[in-house]
C-alpha cells in the first residue's frame, strides 16, 4: 500500500509529540493508533514494527535539530561568530518552549544508553556526528586565528556539550532562573581558554623581529 507523504508526516509529528510525553520506548503502534483514532493495522502501511516507528521518530528529531541548530550556524562566517551561533542555537533548542523544554536527544541518550539495538546504534552515530560538528566548527575558528593552534578541538566539543547538559539539568529539572547566565559564563570561559595568549603573541612578534 502506498503511503501519502503528507499524512505520513502528520503521523510522525504526532508520534514525536507522544515520545516527548512517554519516552521513545513507551511509544508503540497501539498507543499511536489510539492517539490518532486510527486502527493499528492501518499504521502498518507506515511502520512495519515498533522499532521502525522509533527509528523514524529519532530521525525526525535529528532532522529538526539539524535545521534548527546546525544549519543557521553554518550560514555564519567561519570563526567565533559561527561557534557562538552554534552554542546559542543549542541552548535555544534545549529551552524548546514549544515542547515544554528539554533536549530529546539528551533524554534518549539516558533512555537508551544501556539498551542495545538499532535505535541505540543510530543515536550513538548521530550524537557522535554532533560532537564532530562542534569540533569542526572550532577547528575552522583555529584556522581563522580566533583560537590558538594547539587547541584540542575534541576537548572543546566535549566541554561545550557538558555545559549544555548542565544547562538542561538546571533549567528543566531545577528550574534555576540563573541557568542561562551560568551557561553563558561557562561558555565565555571556554572561549577565553581557547584564545591565543597575549604573551604568546608577544613572543612570536619578538621572534619575527629578531629573525
Amino acid at each position: 500500500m502506498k503511503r501519502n507523504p503528507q499524512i505520513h508526516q502528520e503521523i510522525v509529528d504526532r508520534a514525536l509529540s507522544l515520545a516527548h510525553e512517554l519516552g521513545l520506548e513507551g511509544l508503540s503502534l497501539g498507543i499511536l493508533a489510539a492517539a490518532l483514532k486510527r486502527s493499528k493495522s492501518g499504521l502498518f502501511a507506515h511502520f512495519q514494527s515498533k522499532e521502525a516507528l522509533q527509528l523514524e521518530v529519532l530521525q525526525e528529531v535529528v532532522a529538526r535539530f539539524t535545521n534548527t541548530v546546525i544549519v543557521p550556524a553554518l550560514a555564519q562566517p567561519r570563526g567565533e561568530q559561527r561557534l557562538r551561533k552554534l552554542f546559542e542555537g543549542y541552548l535555544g533548542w534545549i529551552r524548546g518552549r514549544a515542547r515544554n523544554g528539554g533536549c530529546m536527544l539528551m533524554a534518549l541518550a539516558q533512555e537508551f544508553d544501556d539498551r542495545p539495538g538499532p535505535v541505540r546504534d543510530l543515536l550513538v552515530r548521530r550524537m557522535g556526528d554532533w560532537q564532530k560538528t562542534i569540533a569542526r566548527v572550532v577547528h575552522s575558528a583555529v584556522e581563522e586565528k580566533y583560537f590558538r593552534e594547539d587547541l584540542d578541538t575534541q576537548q572543546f566539543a566535549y566541554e561545550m556539550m557538558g555545559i549544555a547538559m548542565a544547562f538542561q539539568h538546571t533549567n528543566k529539572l531545577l528550574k534555576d532562573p540563573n541557568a542561562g547566565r551560568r551557561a553563558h559564563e561557562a561558555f565565555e570561559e571556554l572561549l577565553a581558554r581557547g584564545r591565543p595568549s597575549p604573551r604568546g603573541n608577544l613572543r612570536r612578534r619578538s621572534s619575527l623581529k629578531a629573525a
Side-chain angles (χ1 to χ4, degrees):
M1 183 185 300
K2 288 187 177 181
R3 63 188 190 186
N4 182 305
Q6 181 178 347
I7 293 176
H8 182 77
Q9 185 59 52
E10 290 172 357
I11 293 173
V12 171
D13 291 344
R14 186 68 179 106
L16 177 54
S17 178
L18 287 171
H20 276 295
E21 299 173 17
L22 307 174
L24 193 56
E25 185 58 26
L27 180 64
S28 68
L29 291 172
I31 289 175
L32 180 58
L36 293 168
K37 295 181 171 56
R38 298 168 62 105
S39 68
K40 182 177 176 181
S41 60
L43 290 181
F44 278 105
H46 300 270
F47 315 102
Q48 295 300 307
S49 65
K50 175 181 176 178
E51 187 174 85
L53 170 62
Q54 291 175 330
L55 286 169
E56 188 147 355
V57 169
L58 175 54
Q59 289 167 344
E60 178 69 18
V61 174
V62 171
R64 293 187 184 193
F65 180 85
T66 300
N67 291 330
T68 302
V69 178
I70 299 176
V71 172
L74 295 183
Q76 300 298 312
R78 284 162 51 95
E80 189 171 320
Q81 185 174 343
R82 180 178 294 181
L83 182 58
R84 286 184 177 277
K85 183 70 173 179
L86 195 67
F87 180 72
E88 291 298 337
Y90 199 8
L91 293 194
W93 169 267
I94 294 169
R95 287 189 183 98
R97 292 187 176 88
R99 48 188 160 73
N100 199 30
C103 175
M104 189 170 183
L105 291 172
M106 290 187 195
L108 292 178
Q110 294 184 345
E111 188 178 353
F112 286 87
D113 59 355
D114 59 355
R115 184 175 293 157
V119 176
R120 182 185 187 279
D121 293 343
L122 178 60
L123 180 63
V124 168
R125 289 197 300 272
R126 295 300 171 257
M127 292 300 285
D129 290 343
W130 168 229
Q131 188 165 348
K132 290 174 185 176
T133 296
I134 299 173
R136 283 195 297 269
V137 171
V138 176
H139 181 71
S140 71
V142 171
E143 293 180 329
E144 297 296 325
K145 312 300 182 185
Y146 287 93
F147 297 129
R148 63 180 191 273
E149 294 180 358
D150 65 344
L151 179 65
D152 186 337
T153 59
Q154 291 292 336
Q155 179 66 26
F156 190 107
Y158 178 89
E159 293 188 42
M160 178 170 148
M161 291 179 72
I163 292 170
M165 290 177 183
F167 173 70
Q168 161 133 323
H169 175 75
T170 55
N171 183 67
K172 183 171 175 61
L173 178 64
L174 303 183
K175 307 298 183 185
D176 183 353
N178 295 312
R181 176 181 61 80
R182 296 186 189 282
H184 282 96
E185 288 180 359
F187 184 63
E188 291 299 329
E189 290 181 6
L190 183 59
L191 291 175
R193 284 190 279 116
R195 294 191 181 103
S197 67
R199 182 175 298 179
N201 290 338
L202 179 61
R203 282 199 298 267
R204 282 194 290 274
R205 285 197 296 270
S206 299
S207 298
L208 288 173
K209 288 180 180 179

